[in-house]
Amino acid sequence: MVRGVYTVAELVQRQWGDHRTGLRESDLTLSRHQVAAGAAARAALLADLLPRGAEPHLGVLLDNTPEYPLWLSAAALAGAAVAGLNPTRRGAELARDILHTDCRILVTERAHLPLLDGLDLPGVRLLVTDTEAYERLLAPYAAAKPGEAVVRPVTPGTRLLLYFTSGSTGAPKAALCGQGRLAAAGASLVAHFRLSAQDTHYICMPMFHGNAVIANWAPALVAGAPVALRRRFSASGFLPDVKEFGATYFTYVGRAVQYLLATPESPDDRSHALRLGFGTEAGTVDAARFEARFAVRLVEGYGSSEGGAAIQRTRGTPAGAIGRAAPGDDLAVVDRATGQECPPAVFSASGGLSNASAAIGELVNRGRSPFEGYWRNPEADAERLRNGWYWTGDLFYRDAEGFLYFAGRDDDRLRVDSENLAAAMIENILARWDAAAAVAVYAVPDPVAGDQVMAALALREGADFDPAAFADFLSAQPGLGTKMAPRFVRVVPAMPTTATNKIHRVALRRASFHTPDPVWWTPAPGAPYQLLTPASRAALLEQYADHGRSPVPEA
């Protein structure tokens, strides 16, 4: 960590008097001093507006405009906390998120006002940033200085973020993150990637999610580097932005990488300063394609808004592995039912995992975890912390050298003919097919017991799904186990995604093979793929009914 810096507030204050570039967006450029001054003004406004005795929480419902990092900085200075609100939430769900986190101030913009129409938000003061009324409200605080307006003492443990997790079931949980942990996360990435003030951090992932704030904004603060914003991720706008801003570092999720690879190739694809991307779930195939095309290395990491466990890529990390446990973590892969550590992975001559059923388990942190809990959700806290360990809910396997490999989320596990499979492993194989632009693998219930493998494929521009060619491709993959070949293949015009540009697996699982998209299937193991017709679908549903099952997974 930067010597003597223990809170995000101190990182924001350090910008005061520094007239180098601090923040850019479209045709706006602010110096680091202007960022600190803007944050101080908003902190003073916040201190005056928050009711006495109320939780010092504000909700932020914004795209990636300059107001977002300014309000994050303001909250840090004031000792307040920001609840990042997802604009894809609607109606009662959005109101629940605002009220659950006890937000008394809601910062938004005119574009999002329709989302708030008709919502009952008692005691919540609305600030609409792109209005004259907002400018008039903020003007009296223009002379404020960092540290003058504080709603509670600022320490490393002072709560700064309430970031909603994207759980597949139930209401989202608001993970807590204090100023010290966020500053430490930023410092760790600065040291690991050797980031400096000469870098420019391009933030195109949504700032209501930890990816952008924890892995991009925080290290920029620590390094003293400027931040460049894109209001919303755009595959076509990515490279022009990178060139215009001189960006050198960005964060991603796997689906965003797939979008970028699907853009038309250009002779100028390598004419930029970008050198590094850090994120999750790109997959080894897409990461290699990205580096070959754009000359930019993608580094897969593992971590979460909860901060309970982290994996770092180190020298010598094998292809396909994420890395080893971060310093201070004691990570293990355990069988959730028994709590016993899983045996090391055994690889075949072709590199496939030979003992998936035994080697794949849940990643746990047996050491001291920085997990700070969820806001007013003791049941979720207890689920994460059991027997003195932090349980991530994610599937991994570990090789004999201690390198960890991601195998999927806990709800991405499939059980086919009594054999445990991990969706991520099958996806990595299917992603090798030249016609595939994006792949998602998920479980659908078997008519009798367990699961069957279903895959959704988005095809590259101009490609058609050739069932015989796909079957030939599968038979040529030595790492594809006998239970891994998809029984159902749904060909989608575009992969459904969440607001954070991750594949919307819940929607895919819920649809099963009830979809207007073409679905190909094998009526029996080893049979050729054929279109699922209304008649064959009806016959298949009869099989489910005969055994009292449904092809749609239970919630």
Side-chain angles (χ1 to χ4, degrees):
M1 177 174 282
V2 176
R3 186 181 300 274
V5 175
Y6 302 100
T7 67
V8 175
E10 290 172 274
L11 294 172
V12 174
Q13 290 173 336
R14 203 175 61 178
Q15 299 177 102
W16 185 262
D18 186 343
H19 298 285
R20 294 174 297 168
T21 299
L23 180 63
R24 296 184 64 188
E25 188 256 355
S26 188
D27 56 355
L28 174 70
T29 299
L30 297 178
S31 70
R32 285 167 53 79
H33 176 81
Q34 288 172 314
V35 170
R42 286 158 179 79
L45 172 62
L46 180 64
D48 281 352
L49 293 183
L50 276 173
R52 290 183 180 273
E55 291 288 351
H57 295 176
L58 63 146
V60 177
L61 181 62
L62 294 170
D63 290 335
N64 288 359
T65 68
E67 289 289 342
Y68 213 125
L70 285 172
W71 275 103
L72 282 173
S73 300
L77 291 176
V82 169
L85 299 169
N86 184 340
T88 67
R89 301 273 283 173
R90 295 291 188 272
E93 292 183 341
L94 179 58
R96 177 263 172 198
D97 293 348
I98 296 167
L99 297 176
H100 170 68
T101 46
D102 293 317
C103 294
R104 304 305 296 271
I105 306 292
L106 177 56
V107 181
T108 189
E109 56 188 306
R110 285 183 293 178
H112 290 322
L113 286 179
L115 300 178
L116 304 173
D117 285 347
L119 298 190
D120 185 18
L121 300 172
V124 179
R125 172 75 179 267
L126 192 65
L127 304 182
V128 185
T129 58
D130 49 349
T131 63
E132 292 182 2
Y134 175 76
E135 295 298 329
R136 289 196 300 269
L137 188 65
L138 198 56
Y141 302 94
K145 295 181 180 179
E148 289 181 340
V150 177
V151 297
R152 64 179 169 186
V154 177
T155 70
T158 301
R159 187 164 56 250
L160 177 57
L161 303 178
L162 299 100
Y163 265 28
F164 289 101
T165 61
S166 52
S168 59
T169 60
K173 303 180 291 290
L176 306 179
C177 181
Q179 293 211 22
R181 180 162 75 85
L182 184 58
S188 175
L189 289 172
V190 166
H192 192 67
F193 293 132
R194 299 183 181 179
L195 301 171
S196 72
Q198 281 65 54
D199 284 295
T200 295
H201 292 231
Y202 178 55
I203 299 181
C204 55
M205 295 292 99
M207 293 194 73
F208 66 79
H209 193 257
N211 174 294
V213 173
I214 297 173
N216 209 339
W217 180 71
L221 273 182
V222 172
V227 164
L229 296 176
R230 156 66 68 164
R231 174 179 277 269
R232 294 182 182 177
F233 172 76
S234 167
S236 62
F238 179 86
L239 209 53
D241 277 356
V242 163
K243 294 177 180 180
E244 177 185 352
F245 296 131
T248 58
Y249 173 88
F250 79 109
T251 55
Y252 64 84
V253 296
R255 187 66 186 113
V257 170
Q258 293 168 352
Y259 279 131
L260 293 170
L261 290 171
T263 59
E265 294 191 28
S266 164
D268 296 329
D269 280 346
R270 291 171 165 236
S271 301
H272 54 74
L274 195 63
R275 65 181 179 86
L276 180 65
F278 176 60
T280 60
E281 300 180 21
T284 54
V285 173
D286 282 346
R289 289 172 176 166
F290 195 89
E291 184 167 9
R293 176 173 168 183
F294 297 107
V296 177
R297 184 168 65 104
L298 299 185
V299 177
E300 289 282 296
Y302 176 82
S304 64
S305 299
E306 292 93 336
I311 300 172
Q312 288 185 352
R313 189 173 187 87
T314 56
R315 186 180 298 275
T317 298
I322 294 179
R324 288 190 168 108
D329 284 356
D330 177 15
L331 302 186
V333 178
V334 304
D335 184 300
R336 185 165 190 171
T338 66
Q340 299 299 308
E341 191 162 357
C342 296
V346 176
F347 298 101
S348 66
S350 60
L353 182 61
S354 300
N355 63 335
S357 292
I360 294 175
E362 184 169 350
L363 185 72
V364 302
N365 187 356
R366 301 178 298 194
R368 182 182 178 186
S369 170
F371 174 59
E372 297 171 81
Y374 298 106
W375 179 249
R376 293 187 174 169
N377 197 332
E379 295 83 5
D381 290 346
E383 175 65 18
R384 282 281 181 242
L385 296 174
R386 303 195 308 278
N387 302 324
W389 295 352
Y390 176 86
W391 297 71
T392 67
D394 292 328
L395 303 177
F396 276 79
Y397 54 98
R398 186 202 294 264
D399 66 20
E401 302 300 319
F403 290 102
L404 291 156
Y405 299 70
F406 180 68
R409 307 300 177 189
D410 191 44
D411 56 1
D412 290 340
R413 184 191 291 268
L414 303 86
R415 189 164 179 83
V416 180
D417 294 341
S418 300
E419 183 174 332
N420 291 324
L421 305 175
M425 296 180 60
I426 305 174
E427 287 176 353
N428 287 339
I429 294 172
L430 300 189
R432 301 171 191 160
W433 193 39
D434 290 341
V439 177
V441 170
Y442 45 99
V444 295
D446 181 88
V448 179
D451 302 316
Q452 294 182 350
V453 181
M454 186 164 183
L457 297 179
L459 303 179
R460 298 192 180 280
E461 187 175 356
D464 294 315
F465 183 76
D466 182 335
F470 183 68
D472 288 344
F473 161 79
L474 294 178
S475 64
Q477 304 308 306
L480 192 73
T482 58
K483 310 296 185 184
M484 292 183 177
R487 187 179 187 195
F488 299 96
V489 178
R490 174 181 172 183
V491 180
V492 297
M495 198 67 73
T497 57
T498 66
T500 55
N501 294 304
K502 294 183 178 180
I503 293 176
H504 202 326
R505 299 175 190 279
V506 174
L508 290 170
R509 283 194 292 266
R510 285 175 180 166
S512 187
F513 50 73
H514 295 287
T515 169
D517 295 333
V519 175
W520 297 79
W521 76 307
T522 57
Y529 282 101
Q530 58 184 252
L531 270 175
L532 184 66
T533 64
S536 55
R537 180 183 285 109
L540 190 55
L541 289 174
E542 285 186 13
Q543 294 182 34
Y544 282 94
D546 288 344
H547 294 88
R549 305 201 84 198
S550 167
V552 179
E554 295 181 1

